[in-house]
Amino acid sequence: MHHYSPQSKTLALLPKFTGFMSFLGSTFIFQDIIFQKKPIHRVYHRIMLGLSISDAIASVVNILSTWPIPAGTQWVYLASGTTGTCTAQGFFNELGNLATPLYNASLCVYYALVIRDGWSEDQIRKKAEPFMHTIPTVVAALIALLGLPFKLYNNSGWLCWFAEYPSNCKENGNCVRGEHSEIFRWVHYVIIWSAIAFVSVQMYSIYRKVREQEGFVAQQFDAETTRRGTKAKKVAVQAALFVGALYMTWFFTTVTRIYQNVTGHNEFALLVLMAIFFPLQGFFNALIYIRPRYLRCRSRNPGKSWRYWFYVALHRNGHPIHGTPTRGSSLPIENRRDMMADGRRRSSTASFYSTGNSKRRLSAGSNYSSDGEASCSVADTVNARADESEFRKNNKSKGEDALDAVTEDCDEDAPQVNESDDSADDDGTADDVEMTVAQEDRED
């Protein structure tokens, strides 16, 4: 009977728990998009879908941890597999863990095109989206497939990955498998670190753009410009959080690999931190994904507990728990009239995506005024628009639809019932209510 050290047991069990948490997060995002976003017509949601699928694959690999490693492997707790199971785990390990950061880079590119370059949804869909999916899937699949003929997938500690077999066989020149594993490890990390560096540069450019917009907005009285600047800032915060999740996932892994190469041995404390944080990206992504809903629920229900806010945030807008009528709702006519009125009042001050209404309010011959807020005179509006013309030219206001699209999932102040919503993510609730009320008014 083998005797396993506490360290061996810790490294075998920890990834199962953190991997399971990540799997839950990834599957939550997956089901939320698949079942609530049909048809999936937004580029943002398709990127998030690819990101959640790749991370779910990596999460399953971490849940399995040492189980697929060949039974009887010395010092490996719970090793119960064969060379075939180890090869399969190593393949999906490389596939999922390489595609995930590359999809993070695609998501960051999407944010940069929307905020920094002002691209429209159609531009991104036609010119950029094919690369956003092709690069992560093709690169990850290619590297993972190359590991098969070279027999690179072997026990690497608490899971199967690029490793030599037997362990330290290069020193004696008697490797049976994985002779070129070190080369592929470096290829893997160069791709990962390049993606992280690329994401960092893109986030810095987004930060610079948002600061530039804030400086411009501070000099203007144009409500539409102010609204766009506020949108961009909120979306940039959401983008920064996704990048932060990427950093947290790969920080201890990077430090551990550097320490191994410098000292020639492993540090148990670093391995534990790696086993905790490395599998958690799906969990982090899910928290960031539902964060706007959580903040929205908190602002609507200030007297409730954080557990209630979180529970409600797990459900999409339009779910009965939000108190929002869905298509075919049987709410009394008086309640639906009240909801329509509340939706109109909130849309004039809180909605970030009723841009058509804001343009009409700012048209010639009208003053901007809403719920007692300070209004702009026609002269002020005309002067602000004149000063803004060059800024508009550089920022391509035609990209408003893409910014609106991603703002739908980043706006913690969005009303429950929107006056207009081209995305149809809430099943056309406001329009249905208005049409039903009008019809029943005629019948009365």
Side-chain angles (χ1 to χ4, degrees):
M1 183 176 179
H2 294 284
H3 173 72
Y4 300 102
S5 66
Q7 290 87 347
S8 176
K9 293 179 180 180
T10 299
L11 294 178
L13 296 175
L14 262 181
K16 296 184 183 297
F17 293 101
T18 53
F20 182 69
M21 292 171 64
S22 182
F23 181 76
L24 290 179
S26 299
T27 51
F28 171 80
I29 296 175
F30 178 85
Q31 65 81 28
D32 190 74
I33 295 174
I34 289 294
F35 296 111
Q36 303 294 339
K37 296 291 185 182
K38 293 188 296 185
I40 309 172
H41 56 279
R42 297 295 191 187
V43 176
Y44 166 74
H45 294 131
R46 289 194 288 269
I47 296 174
M48 288 301 302
L49 188 62
L51 178 61
S52 64
I53 291 173
S54 62
D55 196 80
I57 293 172
S59 299
V60 171
V61 168
N62 285 292
I63 292 172
L64 296 176
S65 67
T66 58
W67 282 334
I69 296 175
T73 301
Q74 193 175 20
W75 315 121
V76 179
Y77 183 61
L78 297 179
S80 309
T82 63
T83 300
T85 59
C86 189
T87 299
Q89 185 192 38
F91 172 82
F92 287 107
N93 184 13
E94 181 63 11
L95 181 67
N97 283 311
L98 193 57
T100 298
L102 292 177
Y103 259 113
N104 270 107
S106 294
L107 183 63
C108 193
V109 169
Y110 175 79
Y111 281 124
L113 292 176
V114 171
I115 300 173
R116 183 193 63 201
D117 300 329
W119 280 33
S120 68
E121 187 81 358
D122 283 339
Q123 281 181 299
I124 299 173
R125 184 181 299 112
K126 294 175 182 178
K127 298 180 180 180
E129 186 182 8
F131 299 100
M132 293 176 175
H133 298 288
T134 301
I135 292 176
T137 54
V138 170
V139 171
L142 180 62
I143 301 298
L145 286 170
L146 285 175
L148 296 176
F150 288 101
K151 300 180 180 180
L152 299 178
Y153 300 122
N154 303 290
N155 170 37
S156 65
W158 46 271
L159 45 74
C160 295
W161 189 47
F162 298 144
E164 57 193 33
Y165 178 82
S167 180
N168 300 320
C169 63
K170 283 188 178 181
E171 297 177 0
N172 304 321
N174 61 344
C175 290
V176 177
R177 296 170 57 88
E179 184 178 357
H180 305 291
S181 60
E182 192 66 21
I183 297 174
F184 277 80
R185 283 196 176 202
W186 277 111
V187 171
H188 172 90
Y189 281 113
V190 166
I191 294 173
I192 297 295
W193 294 333
S194 298
I196 292 174
F198 176 80
V199 164
S200 302
V201 172
Q202 295 299 312
M203 274 308 306
Y204 179 72
S205 69
I206 292 173
Y207 168 78
R208 290 285 302 271
K209 187 65 177 183
V210 171
R211 288 296 300 269
E212 176 187 334
Q213 289 180 342
E214 286 180 337
F216 179 80
V217 167
Q219 303 173 16
Q220 306 301 317
F221 298 96
D222 188 321
E224 184 180 350
T225 304
T226 302
R227 183 177 295 109
R228 180 175 175 84
T230 306
K231 285 181 189 178
K233 185 174 182 179
K234 290 188 176 186
V235 174
V237 170
Q238 193 75 353
L241 290 173
F242 278 117
V243 173
L246 179 66
Y247 287 161
M248 291 182 67
T249 302
W250 286 96
F251 176 76
F252 291 108
T253 302
T254 300
V255 172
T256 301
R257 295 307 179 196
I258 293 174
Y259 184 86
Q260 288 174 344
N261 282 279
V262 171
T263 65
H265 65 273
N266 292 317
E267 175 62 38
F268 177 68
L270 288 177
L271 291 175
V272 169
L273 291 171
M274 177 180 170
I276 293 173
F277 285 93
F278 179 65
L280 278 176
Q281 184 165 358
F283 178 74
F284 294 146
N285 286 343
L287 292 180
I288 299 165
Y289 182 79
I290 67 172
R291 168 183 168 271
R293 300 187 210 169
Y294 177 86
L295 296 176
R296 187 182 306 135
C297 180
R298 188 178 67 179
S299 67
R300 292 173 181 171
N301 305 275
K304 301 289 186 177
S305 68
W306 69 268
R307 290 184 293 272
Y308 173 84
W309 297 332
F310 185 77
Y311 176 74
V312 174
L314 293 176
H315 300 81
R316 287 289 306 173
N317 279 348
H319 191 279
I321 196 171
H322 292 281
T324 305
T326 58
R327 192 181 302 275
S329 172
S330 59
L331 281 176
I333 187 68
E334 293 80 6
N335 291 1
R336 281 179 275 168
R337 285 195 182 101
D338 292 343
M339 182 164 284
M340 280 176 54
D342 181 64
R344 291 194 182 105
R345 286 194 299 271
R346 294 175 63 102
S347 292
S348 65
T349 56
S351 177
F352 287 166
Y353 23 89
S354 297
T355 55
N357 296 327
S358 66
K359 292 177 182 176
R360 288 195 294 273
R361 285 197 298 270
L362 291 170
S363 60
S366 63
N367 294 338
Y368 171 70
S369 179
S370 176
D371 294 341
E373 296 176 0
S375 63
C376 296
S377 67
V378 175
D380 288 339
T381 301
V382 171
N383 290 336
R385 285 191 176 278
D387 293 338
E388 186 188 6
S389 60
E390 185 64 26
F391 180 83
R392 287 277 184 203
K393 185 185 301 182
N394 295 332
N395 288 275
K396 302 178 184 177
S397 60
K398 63 184 178 181
E400 187 75 19
D401 67 327
L403 188 59
D404 288 338
V406 72
T407 305
E408 291 169 8
D409 288 308
C410 299
D411 179 11
E412 64 267 26
D413 299 320
Q416 287 180 325
V417 180
N418 295 322
E419 195 170 357
S420 65
D421 187 355
D422 295 335
S423 71
D425 284 336
D426 290 327
D427 298 322
T429 302
D431 292 338
D432 289 343
V433 173
E434 187 169 358
M435 291 173 63
T436 305
V437 171
Q439 182 179 356
E440 296 187 19
D441 282 342
R442 287 195 299 271
E443 293 175 356
D444 293 342

